[in-house]
Amino acid sequence: MPAKTNNIRTQKKTTAKRSAKPETEEMSTREMILRQALELINTRGMVEFRIDTLATSLGLSPGNITYHFSRKEDICIALWEQYLEEFRSIERSLTTLLDLKQFYLLNRIGIRLNYKYRGVTVFRGSDISAMKRDQEAGRINEKQNMTIAKQASELLTRNGFLDPEASDEIRTDTQIYHYIMTRWGINFAYQAYTPQEVEEKLDYLALLSVHALYPVMTPKGRAEFAEILDRVASDNLIPTDLSA
């Protein structure tokens, strides 16, 4: 959102002041459209998602929507870009990854993020036109996932939680399996749980994804994994405790 300091400078002309207000309102309306669109896409799916339905739910005219997004596909693209930006923030957090507890929390955040954008990610992965249109973007996203897995593996190995003697082949297979289990957990959550239930199940879904690393965990790693498992099983898991 533009800084408001430009609007309060007395030296600015009246026309400049007038132009600043619509720009601020435009940003606010755009964000409101995207938030509501994500909710509708998540609950109804992209096929049933319509501009007129979105406008009615917001108390706006369809013209107010098409002023910002000419097609519903443009809304989906904007939401996808939001998803990717939030996803990149997970990758940036790897610089402070120290142990399996933090890796567990990282997985938990990732699963929650994918569920938040479930309608968009499902559409992007199932619509042929979208897949063709965004094939390169999809490859980049897959590469990012594997990059995160590799970076996490290297950090956990360096800190004594994964076996440094494991072969490159085993390590790569484990990273792929971790990614598959993460995706399975997300897709299972789409089908099995309501949005309210997902938050309650995040601990178990994240635990499944971390379990994929078990074959290459050191005794130190398995001991910490057992601690996480005990906390999840006893419903005594507090994320802030794990990150301490």
Side-chain angles (χ1 to χ4, degrees):
M1 184 176 292
K4 294 182 179 180
T5 52
N6 290 335
N7 298 341
I8 60 175
R9 291 176 182 171
T10 55
Q11 296 90 342
K12 291 292 183 180
K13 296 180 180 180
T14 303
T15 53
K17 292 181 181 179
R18 288 176 180 171
S19 66
K21 187 177 180 181
E23 184 179 356
T24 303
E25 290 176 349
E26 179 181 334
M27 291 292 291
S28 178
T29 302
R30 187 179 188 275
E31 291 170 357
M32 180 175 63
I33 289 171
L34 290 176
R35 283 197 300 269
Q36 182 66 10
L38 182 59
E39 177 65 24
L40 291 176
I41 293 172
N42 282 345
T43 55
R44 302 188 181 192
M46 190 65 183
V47 174
E48 298 298 323
F49 172 64
R50 302 182 186 283
I51 293 291
D52 56 349
T53 305
L54 174 61
T56 300
S57 68
L58 288 169
L60 301 174
S61 69
N64 290 134
I65 307 296
T66 56
Y67 174 79
H68 299 277
F69 304 99
S70 59
R71 307 172 304 147
K72 69 177 187 178
E73 288 78 10
D74 294 332
I75 296 176
C76 186
I77 290 171
L79 287 170
W80 177 255
E81 290 172 350
Q82 279 189 186
Y83 161 76
L84 291 179
E85 178 54 35
E86 291 187 48
F87 184 86
R88 282 190 285 269
S89 70
I90 297 177
E91 184 175 11
R92 289 193 289 269
S93 70
L94 281 173
T95 56
T96 57
L97 180 66
L98 298 176
D99 54 30
L100 279 176
K101 294 176 183 178
Q102 291 178 326
F103 184 62
Y104 166 85
L105 293 176
L106 195 67
N107 279 265
R108 198 179 190 278
I109 293 168
I111 292 172
R112 176 190 279 157
L113 176 62
N114 277 273
Y115 194 79
K116 174 183 175 182
Y117 287 94
R118 60 192 179 278
V120 175
T121 57
V122 167
F123 172 70
R124 305 285 286 204
S126 61
D127 181 78
I128 299 300
S129 297
M131 290 170 69
K132 289 181 178 178
R133 209 168 41 237
D134 306 308
Q135 192 172 27
E136 181 59 27
R139 281 197 293 264
I140 292 172
N141 187 237
E142 292 294 323
K143 185 177 180 180
Q144 285 177 323
N145 276 284
M146 294 310 297
T147 297
I148 287 177
K150 184 177 180 180
Q151 289 178 330
S153 176
E154 291 173 352
L155 287 167
L156 291 171
T157 300
R158 187 184 312 157
N159 294 331
F161 295 94
L162 300 184
D163 183 6
E165 302 300 322
S167 68
D168 291 340
E169 181 180 4
I170 293 176
R171 195 178 299 278
T172 299
D173 288 346
T174 303
Q175 291 166 5
I176 293 173
Y177 181 49
H178 167 259
Y179 175 70
I180 291 172
M181 288 303 296
T182 301
R183 293 307 313 174
W184 178 86
I186 293 165
N187 292 335
F188 178 78
Y190 290 160
Q191 303 298 324
Y193 305 130
T194 65
Q196 292 75 21
E197 291 173 326
V198 167
E199 186 66 29
E200 299 173 3
K201 306 298 183 181
L202 276 174
D203 294 331
Y204 293 95
L205 297 173
L207 186 67
L208 282 172
S209 64
V210 176
H211 183 264
L213 301 181
Y214 199 81
V216 293
M217 288 182 191
T218 61
K220 176 182 176 181
R222 294 186 180 190
E224 186 155 291
F225 179 80
E227 181 184 346
I228 299 170
L229 177 60
D230 286 344
R231 292 198 184 193
V232 171
S234 62
D235 291 325
N236 189 32
L237 190 147
I238 303 174
T240 52
D241 286 348
L242 285 179
S243 60

